[in-house]
Amino acid sequence: MALAAWEKGLGSLPPLRPKQNPVLPVAGERNVLITSALPYVNNVPHLGNIIGCVLSADVFARYSRLRQWNTLYLCGTDEYGTATETKAMEEGLTPQEICDKYHVIHADIYRWFNISFDIFGRTTTPQQTEITQDIFQRLWDRGFVLQDTVEQLRCEHCARFLADRFVEGVCPFCGYEEARGDQCDKCGKLINAIELKKPQCKVCRSCPVVKSSRHLFLDLPKLEDRLEKWLEKTLPGSDWTPNSRFIIRSWLRDGLKPRCITRDLKWGTPVPLKGFEDKVFYVWFDATFGYLSITANYTDQWERWWKNPEQVDLYQFMAKDNVPFHGLVFPCSVLGAEDNYTLVSHLIATEYLNYEDGKFSKSRGVGVFGDMAQDTGIPSDIWRFYLLYIRPEGQDSAFSWTDMLLKNNSELLNNLGNFINRAGMFVSKFFGGYVPEMVLTSNDQRLLAHVALELQHYHQLLEKVRIRDALRSILTISRHGNQYIQVNEPWKRIKGSEADRQRAGTVTGLAVNIAALLAIMLQPYMPTVSSMIAAQLQLPPPACSILPTDFLCTLPAGHQIGTISPLFQKLENEQIESLRQRFGGGQLEESLALKAKVSPKPAIVETVTIARPQQIQVLMDEVTKQGNIVRELKAQKADKNQVAAEVAKLLDLKKQLALAEGKPLETPKGKKKK
């Protein structure tokens, strides 16, 4: 079977789907709608936020497009609520100015990470107000909204009622000391802020008082039966992750309770009801409607996606703390609105990503945040690869600098990069840049079957949104390729008899075709590296746009490839150790200590202190470039004097980088004199 598929070649690929603008559902096709949980606009996302939402969704969106499914991928900043109001106060700006500022920061970060949104929007739009008020009005008319007086925490010092996320205290259920006013991050239980023990205002740290205020509630108990029936129909055969199923079931087991959907704020969607003019909707009631309003900003035909459950497959990506709102509050709201809304088919929730031995903390300078990753000198595809490799699919995982170095140097450099580079180099060096004739033996056919099986496994995993496991299939195919080259030794056979040279050609041709397959399999994970391989191998356009279900002969005999060059660079221990210290917290103290320690050389200290981030970035780029020049010269066995001159330049650049990072200069380890 593998041989038959191989022989069909590119001719067996389906025709390329014509591009639409805007992308709209097509009758009779698979229409895939993908959302990432909307990030709060008032903070810079850290690596955990990025892998939990946008990066995971991006891999699936790219895969979906490669399968020729009609795909729309959207996200945007969640901009209403107290968090924004408070951030605006801190920075002396209006809430709208804060939203404008941070929306650009978010968009830039996701652009650098190569996230392929069809639209990256925001929730502060007229469409958001219109859609939210319409859903609310329908719920109100159908008797799914209650009124009640609520006892709330009010900070007299700040002269405001405190939104849930701006109260912190001891969880009444598990005793966790940093529980928020809406939810405990440790036990996961929902909390009413007045239930917290030892509550504190997060803004001024004073103890708030309890006061009364009239509010509106979504009558979840009245909607519970509808939700249960929908879940019974949806969950079997769907790809809801185990944690999302468990969280929703635990909520239903405890029985749903009315949920407050209004707040005493100014910054939010106004409540269109007499007597509630001074209130806005609770951000977690209307934030999920942001998906609808962002689509409405993308196309006025948004209802073809969002009121079309028969034709649209909705995938929603998030971290597990967002599950109750996407799997319960949002479905109850639109089921009660009775307007044929599209509901989530596949709810994909990750566990948490920790940083080294603890948690990410912007205030303590611990962990890598999205805007900082760009300044490390490590390309975005390497970040993507490592975050996806450690994606917290079944349990919490941790980002580790040492592990990142190991995975880059072993899996990318020595396994994947080594194989693809060798396969291409053999074509260039032994066959003048043209793919040689291939006469497959039974052993070669067995390799075809191994690769085909692993490709099938990759598809099965990605169709089930097991993103981390599918990445392992790419690396397994690469290992098969490396082993195949090592066993068959084409570099030796090319010097032998006619039969040996023919065998070298077959091995080289098959290897370069495996490299071509890896290029397209890599595209969802490492789009830039995928494009580099495609350019080096001069892949035909269909081979770059359609992911086959079988292993095909993509590069037939006579196909001319381009110039081959290394895909990955080695990460050095010193470089990684420097980054670990830089993102480990306490940078200010380290900087002051450094200044005192090297006071005899004030000029150097001054340079380090003033231009540190920019200087380090420039020097890292220079070191990387120079390292590539040295590697290339060594690979080409260039003149020793030329190599020595370039190595001297590299060592000098490394010395400058060490000074800029405030590290002690080490004596270079060279060969001992005889």
Side-chain angles (χ1 to χ4, degrees):
M1 284 169 67
L3 183 61
W6 161 267
E7 287 172 346
K8 285 178 188 170
L10 287 178
S12 63
L13 288 177
L16 198 57
R17 286 190 82 260
K19 285 191 176 174
Q20 295 182 68
N21 190 20
V23 180
L24 294 169
V26 177
E29 289 196 25
R30 182 165 184 198
N31 301 298
V32 177
L33 178 57
I34 300 169
T35 71
S36 294
L38 307 180
Y40 276 127
V41 77
N42 67 306
N43 269 322
V44 177
H46 59 63
L47 297 180
N49 304 137
I50 289 165
I51 185 59
C53 304
V54 296
L55 181 51
S56 294
D58 183 61
V59 172
F60 190 72
R62 287 175 178 276
Y63 172 73
S64 185
R65 294 183 193 114
L66 286 173
R67 292 297 303 274
Q68 300 291 286
W69 300 337
N70 188 36
T71 306
L72 180 69
Y73 174 29
L74 63 98
C75 186
T77 40
D78 178 4
E79 302 191 349
Y80 283 132
T82 316
T84 308
E85 274 193 5
T86 307
K87 190 73 172 175
M89 277 168 29
E90 279 175 21
E91 297 199 15
L93 299 170
T94 66
Q96 187 62 61
E97 286 169 340
I98 277 289
C99 292
D100 293 344
K101 172 184 171 180
Y102 279 90
H103 176 79
V104 171
I105 291 170
H106 275 263
D108 285 346
I109 288 167
Y110 304 135
R111 198 177 295 113
W112 187 79
F113 273 96
N114 225 328
I115 308 297
S116 62
F117 302 121
D118 289 291
I119 177 172
F120 183 73
R122 51 201 309 190
T123 56
T124 48
T125 63
Q127 288 90 335
Q128 176 76 3
T129 302
E130 186 184 323
I131 290 168
T132 300
Q133 291 183 345
D134 175 64
I135 291 172
F136 166 76
Q137 198 64 56
R138 295 178 73 90
L139 288 164
W140 174 261
D141 293 345
R142 286 159 180 75
F144 293 122
V145 179
L146 307 169
Q147 295 186 49
D148 202 359
T149 299
V150 177
E151 291 194 319
Q152 280 180 265
L153 293 176
R154 180 179 169 84
C155 178
E156 298 296 355
H157 184 266
C158 296
R160 59 164 59 203
F161 282 104
L162 294 177
D164 301 338
R165 284 182 173 253
F166 280 80
V167 185
E168 202 170 76
V170 177
C171 174
F173 300 104
C174 72
Y176 179 57
E177 293 189 357
E178 293 176 24
R180 296 194 314 259
D182 59 348
Q183 191 173 14
C184 173
D185 281 341
K186 188 169 184 187
C187 68
K189 287 199 186 318
L190 288 188
I191 301 168
N192 282 324
I194 58 167
E195 297 173 332
L196 283 173
K197 298 174 184 175
K198 300 180 186 172
Q200 280 189 329
C201 168
K202 280 185 77 174
V203 178
C204 69
R205 289 294 164 194
S206 64
C207 183
V209 295
V210 178
K211 293 254 173 126
S212 296
S213 180
R214 195 148 186 77
H215 282 281
L216 298 171
F217 288 74
L218 184 61
D219 194 350
L220 290 176
K222 204 184 269 191
L223 291 158
E224 194 165 342
D225 279 351
R226 296 183 186 209
L227 183 75
E228 284 273 24
K229 282 175 188 165
W230 168 68
L231 286 169
E232 281 168 21
K233 196 172 82 174
T234 303
L235 287 179
S238 79
D239 294 319
W240 281 49
T241 48
N243 57 357
S244 57
R245 291 170 190 258
F246 175 79
I247 289 165
I248 295 301
R249 282 289 165 216
S250 63
W251 268 57
L252 288 167
R253 189 185 59 240
D254 297 340
L256 299 185
K257 297 171 181 63
R259 184 85 177 151
C260 189
I261 59 169
T262 51
R263 288 292 183 270
D264 292 287
L265 298 173
K266 292 186 175 59
W267 186 246
T269 305
V271 178
L273 196 65
K274 195 172 178 186
F276 289 85
E277 294 88 352
D278 60 339
K279 299 188 194 298
V280 298
F281 284 113
Y282 174 37
V283 69
W284 262 119
F285 171 67
D286 77 331
T288 47
F289 305 151
Y291 302 122
L292 285 60
S293 71
I294 288 166
T295 313
N297 275 281
Y298 170 71
T299 171
D300 56 8
Q301 299 179 70
W302 66 274
E303 292 182 350
R304 287 175 61 183
W305 282 109
W306 286 104
K307 294 185 182 181
N308 190 1
E310 295 80 19
Q311 291 188 346
V312 173
D313 232 357
L314 173 58
Y315 286 79
Q316 297 200 289
F317 288 78
M318 67 207 68
K320 63 182 174 185
D321 56 339
N322 280 336
V323 168
F325 304 103
H326 289 78
L328 195 146
V329 178
F330 177 65
C332 281
S333 301
V334 295
L335 285 167
E338 296 177 354
D339 205 12
N340 197 39
Y341 278 100
T342 303
L343 286 161
V344 61
S345 316
H346 312 279
L347 200 154
I348 314 299
T350 60
E351 299 291 320
Y352 294 136
L353 179 74
N354 295 314
Y355 180 78
E356 294 279 347
D357 298 323
K359 290 187 173 182
F360 290 86
S361 170
K362 188 81 174 173
S363 59
R364 291 185 290 116
V366 174
V368 181
F369 287 71
D371 53 345
M372 301 169 180
Q374 307 174 43
D375 300 329
T376 59
I378 297 172
S380 62
D381 265 22
I382 307 302
W383 285 105
R384 285 178 65 110
F385 168 81
Y386 183 62
L387 289 173
L388 292 160
Y389 194 95
I390 59 167
R391 182 174 185 260
E393 283 187 10
Q395 60 189 39
D396 291 358
S397 63
F399 174 90
S400 155
W401 284 107
T402 303
D403 189 49
M404 187 184 192
L405 176 143
L406 289 171
K407 295 301 182 289
N408 178 83
N409 294 353
S410 60
E411 293 292 6
L412 290 181
L413 194 65
N414 295 340
N415 175 13
L416 189 67
N418 181 55
F419 169 67
I420 292 169
N421 191 258
R422 288 173 91 191
M425 287 302 288
F426 291 156
V427 176
S428 295
K429 194 173 175 183
F430 302 149
F431 301 98
Y434 291 89
V435 175
E437 290 288 342
M438 291 163 272
V439 181
L440 303 185
T441 65
S442 58
N443 280 340
D444 301 329
Q445 291 173 27
R446 193 172 292 112
L447 178 64
L448 290 186
H450 275 304
V451 172
L453 194 64
E454 206 57 57
L455 173 61
Q456 192 179 52
H457 195 213
Y458 170 90
H459 280 298
Q460 288 166 348
L461 289 165
L462 275 180
E463 282 170 10
K464 291 287 179 190
V465 205
R466 286 173 57 189
I467 291 168
R468 184 192 63 198
D469 293 342
L471 179 54
R472 305 294 198 271
S473 292
I474 295 173
L475 300 170
T476 299
I477 289 175
S478 180
R479 271 191 283 275
H480 279 314
N482 270 319
Q483 192 176 8
Y484 177 65
I485 285 175
Q486 282 306 114
V487 167
N488 285 282
E489 301 181 319
W491 62 92
K492 286 185 182 174
R493 291 180 184 270
I494 197 71
K495 298 170 185 171
S497 64
E498 181 63 35
D500 274 345
R501 286 198 297 278
Q502 187 185 66
R503 183 71 194 135
T506 299
V507 171
T508 299
L510 184 47
V512 82
N513 269 282
I514 294 173
L517 174 66
L518 289 170
I520 191 77
M521 290 176 76
L522 268 173
Q523 200 182 109
Y525 293 89
M526 305 179 80
T528 305
V529 169
S530 171
S531 298
M532 286 166 65
I533 302 166
Q536 290 182 22
L537 300 183
Q538 301 280 320
L539 289 190
C544 301
S545 309
I546 303 172
L547 182 56
T549 49
D550 295 304
F551 178 28
L552 311 174
C553 180
T554 305
L555 306 178
H559 171 88
Q560 185 175 13
I561 67 167
T563 305
I564 302 300
S565 58
L567 297 168
F568 304 110
Q569 291 148 14
K570 188 178 181 184
L571 290 177
E572 302 291 349
N573 285 319
E574 302 79 33
Q575 177 190 0
I576 287 299
E577 194 49 47
S578 162
L579 290 169
R580 190 205 310 280
Q581 289 173 14
R582 181 171 155 199
F583 295 108
Q587 290 99 323
L588 182 63
E589 292 87 338
E590 284 171 22
S591 176
L592 292 171
L594 172 69
K595 195 166 184 176
K597 198 172 178 182
V598 288
S599 52
K601 295 182 180 177
I604 292 174
V605 176
E606 205 57 35
T607 310
V608 170
T609 310
I610 292 168
R612 190 179 176 196
Q614 297 89 338
Q615 186 184 16
I616 287 173
Q617 181 57 49
V618 170
L619 286 170
M620 277 183 169
D621 289 346
E622 290 298 319
V623 167
T624 301
K625 274 186 211 163
Q626 190 61 26
N628 284 341
I629 291 168
V630 170
R631 266 190 287 277
E632 283 288 321
L633 289 171
K634 285 182 177 176
Q636 292 162 13
K637 296 189 177 167
D639 177 69
K640 284 183 182 178
N641 292 333
Q642 189 186 355
V643 172
E646 296 300 335
V647 167
K649 283 185 198 173
L650 179 60
L651 291 173
D652 185 55
L653 284 166
K654 283 187 174 179
K655 194 185 291 183
Q656 290 178 46
L657 180 59
L659 282 172
E661 291 174 335
K663 286 162 58 179
L665 295 178
E666 291 179 12
T667 309
K669 292 172 186 173
K671 290 180 182 176
K672 289 181 183 176
K673 290 182 182 176
K674 289 179 183 176

